[in-house]
């Protein structure tokens, strides 16, 4: 009887967590549709670069399929470059899709060039990459860990979403790294807390604390998903 109750309780928690995730996704999509058209018309990052740190960060995902559904490519890397202001106000510097099998050197060579890129501000300062995080999930975790391990001094780190119980929240960035299977260090990210923060920032309608600036370029609305 006790076991049956525990199983039922576990199933209810899983259902509640799934419902919460579905509602969050639907809510974020509604926010995206509502704000994207106005945000993408805001001035480009360079107009906001004065009096902010001379650095940016990069987040990278790896996928096992190419850009197009029928692509012959065995995968791709996607990198988002972001500049930060006070109170987590952010400016999207660029979004790069690198077509190529992540188990080979070519896409990583391209990514390395992106991480070494410098951006000039209107007042003549130069922005450099302060840190980068790369998802270790999927079929290319070894390649990710090799790339990050060779660039630890440049603050290029492997990350992975932490296992979270239904309805629970972990801190977005842990105080210490964890040891990955097969060796190497990765940071376990509080996924749900991160999604909550992104949703909160997307809901902001005026530039300032937490506001996300999107430049005037040709990226599609689906990009923000």
């Amino acid at each position: 009887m006790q076991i049956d109750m525990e199983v039922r309780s576990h199933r209810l928690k899983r259902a509640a967590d799934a419902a919460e995730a579905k509602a969050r996704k639907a809510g974020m999509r509604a926010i995206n549709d509502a704000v994207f058209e106005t945000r993408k018309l805001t001035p480009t990052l360079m107009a906001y670069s004065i009096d902010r740190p001379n650095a940016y960060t990069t987040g990278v995902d790896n996928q096992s399929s190419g850009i197009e559904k029928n692509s012959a490519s065995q995968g791709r890397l996607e990198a988002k470059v972001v500049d930060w202001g006070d109170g987590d106000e952010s400016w999207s510097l660029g979004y790069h899709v690198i077509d190529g099998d992540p188990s080979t050197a070519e896409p990583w060579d391209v990514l390395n060039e992106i991480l070494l890129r410098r951006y000039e501000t209107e007042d003549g300062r130069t922005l450099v990459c302060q840190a980068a995080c790369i998802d270790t999930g999927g079929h290319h975790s070894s390649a990710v860990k090799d790339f990050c391990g060779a660039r630890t001094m440049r603050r290029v780190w492997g990350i992975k979403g932490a296992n979270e119980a239904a309805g629970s929240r972990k801190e977005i960035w842990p105080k210490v790294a964890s040891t990955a299977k097969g060796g190497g260090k990765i940071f376990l990210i509080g996924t749900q807390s991160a999604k909550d923060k992104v949703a909160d920032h997307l809901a902001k309608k005026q530039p300032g604390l937490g506001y996300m600036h999107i430049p005037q370029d040709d990226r599609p609305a689906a990009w923000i998903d």
Side-chain angles (χ1 to χ4, degrees):
M1 181 68 176
Q2 180 65 29
I3 294 177
D4 289 342
M5 291 181 64
E6 290 178 355
V7 170
R8 177 177 174 78
S9 177
H10 179 68
R11 288 176 176 173
L12 288 173
K13 287 182 179 179
R14 287 184 59 185
D17 193 46
E20 179 184 0
K22 183 177 181 180
R24 182 188 295 108
K25 186 174 182 180
M28 288 187 67
R29 181 170 289 109
I31 293 172
N32 295 348
D33 292 342
V35 306
F36 183 80
E37 286 303 318
T38 57
R39 288 179 185 236
K40 76 176 183 180
L41 296 178
T42 60
T44 59
L45 166 135
M46 297 310 171
Y48 293 91
S49 294
I50 299 176
D51 297 328
R52 299 203 337 284
N54 300 339
Y56 63 85
T57 62
T58 305
V60 185
D61 189 21
N62 74 86
Q63 298 289 335
S64 298
S65 60
I67 301 172
E68 303 295 338
K69 290 184 178 180
N70 297 322
S71 172
S73 172
Q74 297 300 306
R76 69 186 188 277
L77 301 176
E78 298 188 12
K80 180 183 177 183
V81 182
V82 179
D83 191 26
W84 298 92
D86 294 334
D88 285 344
E89 185 172 9
S90 64
W91 288 257
S92 177
L93 277 169
Y95 180 65
H96 308 275
V97 180
I98 308 167
D99 205 19
D101 186 351
S103 66
T104 65
E106 286 80 3
W108 297 105
D109 289 341
V110 175
L111 175 62
N112 190 55
E113 291 300 317
I114 291 172
L115 298 181
L116 292 172
R117 190 168 298 175
R118 295 170 179 266
Y119 294 85
E120 299 298 326
T121 68
E122 285 188 335
D123 62 342
R125 293 179 298 109
T126 301
L127 305 180
V128 298
C129 186
Q130 184 179 47
C133 294
I134 308 177
D135 185 12
T136 63
H139 301 294
H140 306 291
S141 59
S142 295
V144 174
K145 287 184 284 188
D146 288 344
F147 183 86
C148 295
R151 294 164 179 80
T152 302
M153 297 300 293
R154 285 166 50 189
R155 300 190 183 94
V156 179
W157 297 308
I159 62 171
K160 184 178 180 180
N163 291 323
E164 298 175 312
S168 69
R169 296 289 189 277
K170 292 186 177 182
E171 60 183 346
I172 296 177
W173 190 264
K175 294 180 176 62
V176 296
S178 301
T179 301
K181 292 181 179 179
K185 296 292 185 179
I186 62 172
F187 288 88
L188 298 178
I189 305 302
T191 306
Q192 299 305 324
S193 295
K195 290 180 178 179
D196 291 343
K197 193 166 188 177
V198 171
D200 177 63
H201 287 186
L202 284 174
K204 296 183 181 300
K205 299 180 179 179
Q206 297 295 329
L209 301 182
Y211 188 84
M212 300 170 69
H213 296 264
I214 299 171
Q216 299 179 34
D217 58 18
D218 59 357
R219 69 188 69 186
W223 162 81
I224 209 168
D225 289 335

